[in-house]
Amino acid sequence: MDALMPSLPVLKRIPDAILRLSSQEVRQIFPEPCLIELEGASSETVFLSVLLHGNETTGFSVLQRLARWLRDHRLPRNLLIFVGNVHAAEAGLRHLTDQPDFNRIWNGGSTPEHALAQSVLMELRTRDLFAAIDIHNNTGRNPLYGCINSLAPQFLHLASLFSPTLVYFRNPPSVISMALSKLCPAVTVEAGRPGEPAGIERAFNLVHDTLHLSRFRTTGHDRELTVYRTVGRMKIEPGWRIGFSPSSDAPLRFPAEMDSWNFSPKQAGTHWADIARAGRPLRVLDEQRRDLTDQFFTYEDGALVLSRDATPSMITLETAIIQDDCFGYLMEEIDLASQHGIRADI
């Protein structure tokens, strides 16, 4: 990629060629990150971001579905689409080695990618925004779920259109949904693993239903929701090689199919990992990066043991993701009726 990020192109339609391309061929129609501005019957605008992570392809599949749908339908609202890290998509990677993560650039910074993010946000501030949707995938096994940064009823309503399972978080502050949550109801959808038909269908339906929604609820909600709060982010310390089977010779060994633990409550006393050398290989950090490891884990005779009840999420078995981002998260369920104090204004 050039040292200077190019100016942000604005297209007026989704090119028909998208229907015959794979996500790794995306630069044939979108050579650089761009906006697609589609006019609807109302000036109210739904914002959609896709391919912030180049190997999370459900958003690209949703664009293909939209291109087909638009052949026979008119948009009820304006739709503004940000097509993000097309260079990483071409390579089939989350992001290139010389790039920052495109979902960690939305609260200021000095790189060309940070400048690109600010250009997108400046454009959004000129719009009559109705809602914002950011489409992602997981690498491990998880249910389809939505992430929100506010517990205001409008956010809950928007996210519930995708799934009754939600995660509330306020960190890291550099993700796009945090920036968008200051402008309108916003949701990040985790649509399963890339290419899974159920995730593509549900994500497309969310965009379709949001475009057609008359208004958001401002009180209560009409669907039984399970909402979790992220209480800790699990990081593997540098220098620790990890494995996922009893036969692995890695000094830090987790259960072979640990990603099946995602969104499954675990009780205190759960055996988390085997440790074959001295040291403390895993840390749990809260939203202010305070170390909470001793509140969640104990070290007992070469084993890492959970010391309090918690629900894991986004645990991945892919070592590159673990090193680049994190191992996963620990959550606790929120009682919505008692949590008015952590709602954020929009």
Side-chain angles (χ1 to χ4, degrees), residues 153-181:
Q154 302 96 316
F155 287 71
L156 293 169
H157 187 180
L158 172 62
S160 73
L161 298 176
F162 180 73
S163 172
T165 303
L166 309 178
V167 175
Y168 168 81
F169 74 96
R170 299 289 295 173
N171 192 66
S174 51
V175 298
I176 191 172
S177 64
M178 285 292 291
L180 296 172
S181 68

PDB file of all heavy atoms in Angstrom, residues 153-181:
ATOM      1  N   PRO A 153     -32.586   1.997  25.090  1.00  0.00           N
ATOM      2  CA  PRO A 153     -33.556   1.128  24.399  1.00  0.00           C
ATOM      3  C   PRO A 153     -33.369   1.071  22.887  1.00  0.00           C
ATOM      4  O   PRO A 153     -33.589   0.027  22.273  1.00  0.00           O
ATOM      5  CB  PRO A 153     -34.908   1.758  24.778  1.00  0.00           C
ATOM      6  CG  PRO A 153     -34.671   2.448  26.063  1.00  0.00           C
ATOM      7  CD  PRO A 153     -33.256   2.956  25.997  1.00  0.00           C
ATOM      8  N   GLN A 154     -32.950   2.198  22.269  1.00  0.00           N
ATOM      9  CA  GLN A 154     -32.762   2.193  20.818  1.00  0.00           C
ATOM     10  C   GLN A 154     -31.665   1.214  20.397  1.00  0.00           C
ATOM     11  O   GLN A 154     -31.777   0.533  19.374  1.00  0.00           O
ATOM     12  CB  GLN A 154     -32.411   3.602  20.320  1.00  0.00           C
ATOM     13  CG  GLN A 154     -33.442   4.664  20.664  1.00  0.00           C
ATOM     14  CD  GLN A 154     -33.084   5.416  21.933  1.00  0.00           C
ATOM     15  OE1 GLN A 154     -32.673   4.808  22.933  1.00  0.00           O
ATOM     16  NE2 GLN A 154     -33.233   6.732  21.899  1.00  0.00           N
ATOM     17  N   PHE A 155     -30.594   1.148  21.182  1.00  0.00           N
ATOM     18  CA  PHE A 155     -29.492   0.226  20.885  1.00  0.00           C
ATOM     19  C   PHE A 155     -29.949  -1.214  21.065  1.00  0.00           C
ATOM     20  O   PHE A 155     -29.639  -2.091  20.250  1.00  0.00           O
ATOM     21  CB  PHE A 155     -28.295   0.522  21.783  1.00  0.00           C
ATOM     22  CG  PHE A 155     -27.542   1.769  21.429  1.00  0.00           C
ATOM     23  CD1 PHE A 155     -28.076   3.036  21.653  1.00  0.00           C
ATOM     24  CD2 PHE A 155     -26.273   1.692  20.877  1.00  0.00           C
ATOM     25  CE1 PHE A 155     -27.374   4.177  21.344  1.00  0.00           C
ATOM     26  CE2 PHE A 155     -25.552   2.845  20.552  1.00  0.00           C
ATOM     27  CZ  PHE A 155     -26.113   4.086  20.785  1.00  0.00           C
ATOM     28  N   LEU A 156     -30.675  -1.470  22.148  1.00  0.00           N
ATOM     29  CA  LEU A 156     -31.187  -2.816  22.392  1.00  0.00           C
ATOM     30  C   LEU A 156     -32.132  -3.249  21.287  1.00  0.00           C
ATOM     31  O   LEU A 156     -32.096  -4.396  20.826  1.00  0.00           O
ATOM     32  CB  LEU A 156     -31.886  -2.873  23.748  1.00  0.00           C
ATOM     33  CG  LEU A 156     -30.996  -2.702  24.981  1.00  0.00           C
ATOM     34  CD1 LEU A 156     -31.846  -2.511  26.231  1.00  0.00           C
ATOM     35  CD2 LEU A 156     -30.076  -3.899  25.149  1.00  0.00           C
ATOM     36  N   HIS A 157     -32.992  -2.334  20.829  1.00  0.00           N
ATOM     37  CA  HIS A 157     -33.937  -2.652  19.764  1.00  0.00           C
ATOM     38  C   HIS A 157     -33.195  -2.995  18.471  1.00  0.00           C
ATOM     39  O   HIS A 157     -33.469  -4.019  17.835  1.00  0.00           O
ATOM     40  CB  HIS A 157     -34.884  -1.467  19.548  1.00  0.00           C
ATOM     41  CG  HIS A 157     -36.001  -1.761  18.597  1.00  0.00           C
ATOM     42  ND1 HIS A 157     -36.959  -0.821  18.265  1.00  0.00           N
ATOM     43  CD2 HIS A 157     -36.331  -2.870  17.881  1.00  0.00           C
ATOM     44  CE1 HIS A 157     -37.806  -1.351  17.411  1.00  0.00           C
ATOM     45  NE2 HIS A 157     -37.445  -2.591  17.158  1.00  0.00           N
ATOM     46  N   LEU A 158     -32.244  -2.152  18.081  1.00  0.00           N
ATOM     47  CA  LEU A 158     -31.483  -2.407  16.860  1.00  0.00           C
ATOM     48  C   LEU A 158     -30.769  -3.755  16.936  1.00  0.00           C
ATOM     49  O   LEU A 158     -30.865  -4.584  16.020  1.00  0.00           O
ATOM     50  CB  LEU A 158     -30.464  -1.286  16.642  1.00  0.00           C
ATOM     51  CG  LEU A 158     -29.452  -1.491  15.504  1.00  0.00           C
ATOM     52  CD1 LEU A 158     -30.163  -1.586  14.160  1.00  0.00           C
ATOM     53  CD2 LEU A 158     -28.423  -0.365  15.497  1.00  0.00           C
ATOM     54  N   ALA A 159     -30.058  -4.009  18.018  1.00  0.00           N
ATOM     55  CA  ALA A 159     -29.295  -5.249  18.140  1.00  0.00           C
ATOM     56  C   ALA A 159     -30.200  -6.473  18.188  1.00  0.00           C
ATOM     57  O   ALA A 159     -29.845  -7.538  17.672  1.00  0.00           O
ATOM     58  CB  ALA A 159     -28.412  -5.187  19.381  1.00  0.00           C
ATOM     59  N   SER A 160     -31.388  -6.330  18.789  1.00  0.00           N
ATOM     60  CA  SER A 160     -32.302  -7.467  18.888  1.00  0.00           C
ATOM     61  C   SER A 160     -32.847  -7.888  17.533  1.00  0.00           C
ATOM     62  O   SER A 160     -33.330  -9.019  17.385  1.00  0.00           O
ATOM     63  CB  SER A 160     -33.467  -7.135  19.833  1.00  0.00           C
ATOM     64  OG  SER A 160     -34.380  -6.219  19.226  1.00  0.00           O
ATOM     65  N   LEU A 161     -32.771  -7.007  16.529  1.00  0.00           N
ATOM     66  CA  LEU A 161     -33.181  -7.397  15.179  1.00  0.00           C
ATOM     67  C   LEU A 161     -32.244  -8.448  14.595  1.00  0.00           C
ATOM     68  O   LEU A 161     -32.608  -9.168  13.656  1.00  0.00           O
ATOM     69  CB  LEU A 161     -33.218  -6.166  14.259  1.00  0.00           C
ATOM     70  CG  LEU A 161     -34.200  -5.067  14.624  1.00  0.00           C
ATOM     71  CD1 LEU A 161     -34.045  -3.886  13.663  1.00  0.00           C
ATOM     72  CD2 LEU A 161     -35.631  -5.574  14.620  1.00  0.00           C
ATOM     73  N   PHE A 162     -31.038  -8.542  15.149  1.00  0.00           N
ATOM     74  CA  PHE A 162     -30.072  -9.542  14.688  1.00  0.00           C
ATOM     75  C   PHE A 162     -30.085 -10.788  15.561  1.00  0.00           C
ATOM     76  O   PHE A 162     -30.066 -11.913  15.053  1.00  0.00           O
ATOM     77  CB  PHE A 162     -28.672  -8.940  14.668  1.00  0.00           C
ATOM     78  CG  PHE A 162     -27.604  -9.900  14.215  1.00  0.00           C
ATOM     79  CD1 PHE A 162     -27.509 -10.272  12.884  1.00  0.00           C
ATOM     80  CD2 PHE A 162     -26.705 -10.447  15.125  1.00  0.00           C
ATOM     81  CE1 PHE A 162     -26.536 -11.172  12.459  1.00  0.00           C
ATOM     82  CE2 PHE A 162     -25.730 -11.336  14.707  1.00  0.00           C
ATOM     83  CZ  PHE A 162     -25.643 -11.706  13.379  1.00  0.00           C
ATOM     84  N   SER A 163     -30.118 -10.592  16.889  1.00  0.00           N
ATOM     85  CA  SER A 163     -30.024 -11.738  17.793  1.00  0.00           C
ATOM     86  C   SER A 163     -30.539 -11.346  19.166  1.00  0.00           C
ATOM     87  O   SER A 163     -30.396 -10.193  19.575  1.00  0.00           O
ATOM     88  CB  SER A 163     -28.567 -12.206  17.906  1.00  0.00           C
ATOM     89  OG  SER A 163     -28.424 -13.194  18.902  1.00  0.00           O
ATOM     90  N   PRO A 164     -31.096 -12.300  19.916  1.00  0.00           N
ATOM     91  CA  PRO A 164     -31.470 -12.013  21.311  1.00  0.00           C
ATOM     92  C   PRO A 164     -30.281 -12.115  22.260  1.00  0.00           C
ATOM     93  O   PRO A 164     -30.418 -11.849  23.450  1.00  0.00           O
ATOM     94  CB  PRO A 164     -32.496 -13.109  21.617  1.00  0.00           C
ATOM     95  CG  PRO A 164     -32.074 -14.259  20.755  1.00  0.00           C
ATOM     96  CD  PRO A 164     -31.524 -13.640  19.489  1.00  0.00           C
ATOM     97  N   THR A 165     -29.111 -12.501  21.738  1.00  0.00           N
ATOM     98  CA  THR A 165     -27.896 -12.608  22.548  1.00  0.00           C
ATOM     99  C   THR A 165     -27.010 -11.408  22.254  1.00  0.00           C
ATOM    100  O   THR A 165     -26.590 -11.193  21.112  1.00  0.00           O
ATOM    101  CB  THR A 165     -27.134 -13.904  22.234  1.00  0.00           C
ATOM    102  OG1 THR A 165     -27.999 -15.023  22.457  1.00  0.00           O
ATOM    103  CG2 THR A 165     -25.896 -14.027  23.104  1.00  0.00           C
ATOM    104  N   LEU A 166     -26.726 -10.611  23.286  1.00  0.00           N
ATOM    105  CA  LEU A 166     -26.008  -9.356  23.101  1.00  0.00           C
ATOM    106  C   LEU A 166     -24.851  -9.256  24.082  1.00  0.00           C
ATOM    107  O   LEU A 166     -24.886  -9.829  25.175  1.00  0.00           O
ATOM    108  CB  LEU A 166     -26.941  -8.160  23.316  1.00  0.00           C
ATOM    109  CG  LEU A 166     -28.271  -8.157  22.540  1.00  0.00           C
ATOM    110  CD1 LEU A 166     -29.089  -6.935  22.914  1.00  0.00           C
ATOM    111  CD2 LEU A 166     -28.015  -8.205  21.052  1.00  0.00           C
ATOM    112  N   VAL A 167     -23.835  -8.499  23.673  1.00  0.00           N
ATOM    113  CA  VAL A 167     -22.693  -8.211  24.538  1.00  0.00           C
ATOM    114  C   VAL A 167     -22.540  -6.693  24.617  1.00  0.00           C
ATOM    115  O   VAL A 167     -22.458  -6.012  23.590  1.00  0.00           O
ATOM    116  CB  VAL A 167     -21.396  -8.846  23.999  1.00  0.00           C
ATOM    117  CG1 VAL A 167     -20.205  -8.428  24.858  1.00  0.00           C
ATOM    118  CG2 VAL A 167     -21.517 -10.367  23.956  1.00  0.00           C
ATOM    119  N   TYR A 168     -22.500  -6.186  25.835  1.00  0.00           N
ATOM    120  CA  TYR A 168     -22.278  -4.758  26.077  1.00  0.00           C
ATOM    121  C   TYR A 168     -20.812  -4.550  26.439  1.00  0.00           C
ATOM    122  O   TYR A 168     -20.271  -5.249  27.303  1.00  0.00           O
ATOM    123  CB  TYR A 168     -23.172  -4.284  27.221  1.00  0.00           C
ATOM    124  CG  TYR A 168     -22.829  -2.911  27.762  1.00  0.00           C
ATOM    125  CD1 TYR A 168     -23.269  -1.765  27.110  1.00  0.00           C
ATOM    126  CD2 TYR A 168     -22.083  -2.776  28.925  1.00  0.00           C
ATOM    127  CE1 TYR A 168     -22.951  -0.503  27.618  1.00  0.00           C
ATOM    128  CE2 TYR A 168     -21.767  -1.522  29.436  1.00  0.00           C
ATOM    129  CZ  TYR A 168     -22.205  -0.394  28.772  1.00  0.00           C
ATOM    130  OH  TYR A 168     -21.887   0.840  29.264  1.00  0.00           O
ATOM    131  N   PHE A 169     -20.155  -3.614  25.761  1.00  0.00           N
ATOM    132  CA  PHE A 169     -18.756  -3.329  26.090  1.00  0.00           C
ATOM    133  C   PHE A 169     -18.453  -1.866  25.825  1.00  0.00           C
ATOM    134  O   PHE A 169     -19.118  -1.197  25.035  1.00  0.00           O
ATOM    135  CB  PHE A 169     -17.801  -4.236  25.291  1.00  0.00           C
ATOM    136  CG  PHE A 169     -17.663  -3.856  23.830  1.00  0.00           C
ATOM    137  CD1 PHE A 169     -16.622  -3.062  23.406  1.00  0.00           C
ATOM    138  CD2 PHE A 169     -18.581  -4.306  22.888  1.00  0.00           C
ATOM    139  CE1 PHE A 169     -16.476  -2.704  22.066  1.00  0.00           C
ATOM    140  CE2 PHE A 169     -18.453  -3.959  21.547  1.00  0.00           C
ATOM    141  CZ  PHE A 169     -17.399  -3.157  21.136  1.00  0.00           C
ATOM    142  N   ARG A 170     -17.412  -1.369  26.495  1.00  0.00           N
ATOM    143  CA  ARG A 170     -16.965   0.016  26.328  1.00  0.00           C
ATOM    144  C   ARG A 170     -15.476   0.089  25.989  1.00  0.00           C
ATOM    145  O   ARG A 170     -14.906   1.177  25.964  1.00  0.00           O
ATOM    146  CB  ARG A 170     -17.241   0.803  27.612  1.00  0.00           C
ATOM    147  CG  ARG A 170     -18.704   0.894  28.007  1.00  0.00           C
ATOM    148  CD  ARG A 170     -19.505   1.790  27.101  1.00  0.00           C
ATOM    149  NE  ARG A 170     -19.080   3.177  27.185  1.00  0.00           N
ATOM    150  CZ  ARG A 170     -19.539   4.135  26.384  1.00  0.00           C
ATOM    151  NH1 ARG A 170     -20.421   3.851  25.435  1.00  0.00           N
ATOM    152  NH2 ARG A 170     -19.112   5.369  26.520  1.00  0.00           N
ATOM    153  N   ASN A 171     -14.844  -1.030  25.752  1.00  0.00           N
ATOM    154  CA  ASN A 171     -13.426  -1.057  25.471  1.00  0.00           C
ATOM    155  C   ASN A 171     -13.154  -2.184  24.488  1.00  0.00           C
ATOM    156  O   ASN A 171     -13.772  -3.244  24.583  1.00  0.00           O
ATOM    157  CB  ASN A 171     -12.641  -1.297  26.769  1.00  0.00           C
ATOM    158  CG  ASN A 171     -11.167  -1.044  26.605  1.00  0.00           C
ATOM    159  OD1 ASN A 171     -10.758   0.083  26.370  1.00  0.00           O
ATOM    160  ND2 ASN A 171     -10.372  -2.086  26.719  1.00  0.00           N
ATOM    161  N   PRO A 172     -12.259  -1.983  23.505  1.00  0.00           N
ATOM    162  CA  PRO A 172     -11.387  -0.811  23.336  1.00  0.00           C
ATOM    163  C   PRO A 172     -12.138   0.382  22.749  1.00  0.00           C
ATOM    164  O   PRO A 172     -13.086   0.204  21.961  1.00  0.00           O
ATOM    165  CB  PRO A 172     -10.317  -1.311  22.368  1.00  0.00           C
ATOM    166  CG  PRO A 172     -10.968  -2.417  21.612  1.00  0.00           C
ATOM    167  CD  PRO A 172     -11.931  -3.061  22.551  1.00  0.00           C
ATOM    168  N   PRO A 173     -11.738   1.600  23.106  1.00  0.00           N
ATOM    169  CA  PRO A 173     -12.436   2.795  22.633  1.00  0.00           C
ATOM    170  C   PRO A 173     -12.174   3.113  21.173  1.00  0.00           C
ATOM    171  O   PRO A 173     -12.809   4.015  20.624  1.00  0.00           O
ATOM    172  CB  PRO A 173     -11.887   3.902  23.537  1.00  0.00           C
ATOM    173  CG  PRO A 173     -10.521   3.417  23.903  1.00  0.00           C
ATOM    174  CD  PRO A 173     -10.640   1.923  24.030  1.00  0.00           C
ATOM    175  N   SER A 174     -11.267   2.384  20.543  1.00  0.00           N
ATOM    176  CA  SER A 174     -10.862   2.684  19.168  1.00  0.00           C
ATOM    177  C   SER A 174     -11.650   1.926  18.114  1.00  0.00           C
ATOM    178  O   SER A 174     -11.359   2.037  16.930  1.00  0.00           O
ATOM    179  CB  SER A 174      -9.374   2.362  19.006  1.00  0.00           C
ATOM    180  OG  SER A 174      -9.087   1.048  19.466  1.00  0.00           O
ATOM    181  N   VAL A 175     -12.665   1.147  18.528  1.00  0.00           N
ATOM    182  CA  VAL A 175     -13.465   0.414  17.535  1.00  0.00           C
ATOM    183  C   VAL A 175     -14.497   1.350  16.905  1.00  0.00           C
ATOM    184  O   VAL A 175     -14.905   2.359  17.495  1.00  0.00           O
ATOM    185  CB  VAL A 175     -14.160  -0.810  18.159  1.00  0.00           C
ATOM    186  CG1 VAL A 175     -13.128  -1.797  18.688  1.00  0.00           C
ATOM    187  CG2 VAL A 175     -15.127  -0.408  19.266  1.00  0.00           C
ATOM    188  N   ILE A 176     -14.946   1.006  15.711  1.00  0.00           N
ATOM    189  CA  ILE A 176     -15.852   1.886  14.982  1.00  0.00           C
ATOM    190  C   ILE A 176     -17.181   2.057  15.703  1.00  0.00           C
ATOM    191  O   ILE A 176     -17.769   3.143  15.696  1.00  0.00           O
ATOM    192  CB  ILE A 176     -16.064   1.381  13.535  1.00  0.00           C
ATOM    193  CG1 ILE A 176     -16.787   2.446  12.703  1.00  0.00           C
ATOM    194  CG2 ILE A 176     -16.796   0.053  13.507  1.00  0.00           C
ATOM    195  CD1 ILE A 176     -16.871   2.108  11.221  1.00  0.00           C
ATOM    196  N   SER A 177     -17.671   1.005  16.357  1.00  0.00           N
ATOM    197  CA  SER A 177     -18.982   1.109  16.999  1.00  0.00           C
ATOM    198  C   SER A 177     -18.976   2.120  18.135  1.00  0.00           C
ATOM    199  O   SER A 177     -20.001   2.764  18.392  1.00  0.00           O
ATOM    200  CB  SER A 177     -19.439  -0.261  17.507  1.00  0.00           C
ATOM    201  OG  SER A 177     -18.575  -0.743  18.522  1.00  0.00           O
ATOM    202  N   MET A 178     -17.844   2.300  18.820  1.00  0.00           N
ATOM    203  CA  MET A 178     -17.777   3.317  19.869  1.00  0.00           C
ATOM    204  C   MET A 178     -17.915   4.708  19.276  1.00  0.00           C
ATOM    205  O   MET A 178     -18.610   5.570  19.829  1.00  0.00           O
ATOM    206  CB  MET A 178     -16.466   3.184  20.637  1.00  0.00           C
ATOM    207  CG  MET A 178     -16.437   2.016  21.599  1.00  0.00           C
ATOM    208  SD  MET A 178     -17.551   2.218  23.002  1.00  0.00           S
ATOM    209  CE  MET A 178     -16.742   3.540  23.879  1.00  0.00           C
ATOM    210  N   ALA A 179     -17.259   4.943  18.155  1.00  0.00           N
ATOM    211  CA  ALA A 179     -17.384   6.246  17.492  1.00  0.00           C
ATOM    212  C   ALA A 179     -18.811   6.453  16.980  1.00  0.00           C
ATOM    213  O   ALA A 179     -19.385   7.540  17.111  1.00  0.00           O
ATOM    214  CB  ALA A 179     -16.388   6.338  16.346  1.00  0.00           C
ATOM    215  N   LEU A 180     -19.401   5.406  16.402  1.00  0.00           N
ATOM    216  CA  LEU A 180     -20.743   5.531  15.843  1.00  0.00           C
ATOM    217  C   LEU A 180     -21.799   5.700  16.922  1.00  0.00           C
ATOM    218  O   LEU A 180     -22.820   6.361  16.701  1.00  0.00           O
ATOM    219  CB  LEU A 180     -21.056   4.291  15.003  1.00  0.00           C
ATOM    220  CG  LEU A 180     -20.189   4.077  13.763  1.00  0.00           C
ATOM    221  CD1 LEU A 180     -20.469   2.708  13.142  1.00  0.00           C
ATOM    222  CD2 LEU A 180     -20.419   5.176  12.739  1.00  0.00           C
ATOM    223  N   SER A 181     -21.565   5.117  18.101  1.00  0.00           N
ATOM    224  CA  SER A 181     -22.568   5.181  19.163  1.00  0.00           C
ATOM    225  C   SER A 181     -22.791   6.596  19.667  1.00  0.00           C
ATOM    226  O   SER A 181     -23.788   6.871  20.336  1.00  0.00           O
ATOM    227  CB  SER A 181     -22.163   4.268  20.318  1.00  0.00           C
ATOM    228  OG  SER A 181     -21.012   4.758  20.980  1.00  0.00           O
TER     229      SER A 181
END
